[in-house]
Amino acid sequence: MVTEDINSFPVSRRGFLLGGLGSTLAVTATGTTGLVLRASPSYAAETFVADVTGSYEFEDPATGCSVQVTVGNGVRRIRANGLPNHSTGQFPNSDNPNTISAQDYDYSFPTSPTKNGEFVSLSIPQPFGIAVNGVLFDPLAAEWYDDNPNSGWSENALSPLVDLGLDENDAHVQPTGAYHYHGIPDGLVDTISRKGHSPLIGWAGDGFPIYLDRGYKKSRNRGSGLKRLKSSYRLRSGTRPDGPGGPFDGKYNEDYEYIKGAGDLYSANGRFQKTPEFPNGTYCYILTRDYPVIPRAFVAEISTSFVKSGGAGGGGGGPRPPGGPRPPGGPRPPR
């Protein structure tokens, strides 16, 4: 585990990940989330901590992970090859026949996004966001009841009743070779050393930050103590009225409904809160242990560079948000 007294250096400095497979996240001198980097590939090299809210870049010679982030003029630009900086499961495997390969991501997000006042639901093939290690958060799966995107019943990738060949990071690989998270990335989370409030773990497609689920009891009071934040989605009671029939058991996204006030978060699985990185407060998304885990909607306009055809707000034949209207059908995209 990385100690928290490592000296900080300018975040624009080029560095390499410490050890390659661990101890990659720490805390900066000001208490914000940081990446522990080396000045060269040598393990004897000097270490420094880069604040992930600013500019930084790193390469991991052990895994091939490469990330370059620049922040300026109100824009956060993230370029990455999508390779994780932690170990993964075996790919291909019997339920996921694809091999991990480097990608060419280049996304630009506003550093001060503005909420729209309405939610924009995710639909396939739109990912939700990108982690600080350059891997995409992509919660939806192109799997439906009876293999029919018009059925109105989309499979929940994290349900124990669905097997998509996910590894210990709730991740698998698209036919393009893109490794992506369907849930909480334990390989990345295990390297986090900060105590107290959860660290910032990524950025959503609209530019708002993504955190894990440990936040302040009172969202605007940093002295109110900590709690594990819970979503406000709950499993429906009774049986499905059509499609697969049977009891609501969580196999499908539509088995869940949003109940305002049932948890700590709103329907986009986020809330306005103060954090170590944003002491004055910001809207942020939360990765919860309970459904939906990764949010399925944006509260601000999705950045143009992050939009995928047929994605957010589009009619790509993807799953509808729980309790929401069914989108028009379309060709089945890759998982």
Side-chain angles (χ1 to χ4, degrees):
M1 189 66 69
V2 179
T3 59
E4 299 183 6
D5 58 355
I6 299 174
N7 294 326
S8 294
F9 290 81
V11 296
S12 60
R13 180 177 176 181
R14 183 175 178 83
F16 290 79
L17 277 178
L18 174 67
L21 287 176
S23 301
T24 58
L25 284 180
V27 182
T28 68
T30 58
T32 60
T33 305
L35 286 162
V36 181
L37 309 176
R38 291 187 182 277
S40 78
S42 168
Y43 293 141
E46 185 178 50
T47 59
F48 64 99
V49 177
D51 185 342
V52 297
T53 62
S55 299
Y56 65 91
E57 61 180 303
F58 70 87
E59 295 178 3
D60 184 348
T63 64
C65 175
S66 177
V67 180
Q68 300 87 37
V69 180
T70 56
V71 178
N73 300 317
V75 174
R76 183 185 320 279
R77 184 181 182 186
I78 301 175
R79 288 171 287 178
N81 65 3
L83 298 178
N85 63 326
H86 53 70
S87 61
T88 71
Q90 180 65 47
F91 296 102
N93 60 50
S94 60
D95 293 297
N96 187 250
N98 307 313
T99 301
I100 300 173
S101 62
Q103 306 297 299
D104 186 16
Y105 298 146
D106 190 348
Y107 304 126
S108 294
F109 308 102
T111 56
S112 299
T114 302
K115 292 176 64 178
N116 280 339
E118 60 183 24
F119 294 152
V120 179
S121 298
L122 244 66
S123 59
I124 289 175
Q126 180 61 52
F128 176 71
I130 186 168
V132 293
N133 64 354
V135 176
L136 293 182
F137 291 110
D138 194 357
L140 302 181
E143 305 290 337
W144 299 272
Y145 167 66
D146 206 25
D147 205 21
N148 178 11
N150 292 319
S151 70
W153 298 95
S154 56
E155 291 189 357
N156 173 16
L158 299 181
S159 168
L161 301 173
V162 176
D163 195 348
L164 300 180
L166 303 180
D167 66 8
E168 64 275 11
N169 301 296
D170 284 337
H172 66 177
V173 188
Q174 292 177 344
T176 60
Y179 182 81
H180 58 285
Y181 301 129
H182 277 279
I184 295 175
D186 286 343
L188 181 58
V189 172
D190 285 348
T191 67
I192 295 170
S193 64
R194 180 162 82 192
K195 297 179 180 180
H197 193 283
S198 289
L200 189 159
I201 199 168
W203 304 96
D206 56 11
F208 280 116
I210 305 170
Y211 282 85
L212 296 176
D213 60 350
R214 197 171 60 250
Y216 300 121
K217 292 179 180 178
K218 297 181 179 180
S219 62
R220 300 171 188 259
N221 183 351
R222 298 177 67 184
S224 62
L226 294 163
K227 65 178 296 187
R228 189 174 294 282
L229 304 176
K230 295 183 177 181
S231 86
S232 295
Y233 285 89
R234 298 293 182 265
L235 197 64
R236 298 176 187 269
S237 59
T239 58
R240 303 183 187 101
D242 55 29
F248 294 112
D249 56 13
K251 181 176 181 179
Y252 298 94
N253 292 297
E254 293 75 19
D255 288 350
Y256 294 88
E257 61 181 337
Y258 171 71
I259 302 175
K260 185 177 181 180
D264 304 292
L265 307 175
Y266 295 106
S267 61
N269 230 43
R271 70 175 188 172
F272 183 94
Q273 64 178 16
K274 292 184 177 181
T275 74
E277 288 77 21
F278 297 93
N280 295 323
T282 181
Y283 184 87
C284 56
Y285 299 99
I286 307 297
L287 301 187
T288 52
R289 303 286 170 173
D290 46 355
Y291 187 89
V293 186
I294 295 175
R296 312 296 174 91
F298 299 103
V299 299
E301 183 178 358
I302 186 172
S303 298
T304 302
S305 65
F306 200 67
V307 171
K308 294 193 72 172
S309 178
R320 61 186 168 100
R326 298 179 184 178
R332 174 177 172 175
R335 290 181 182 178

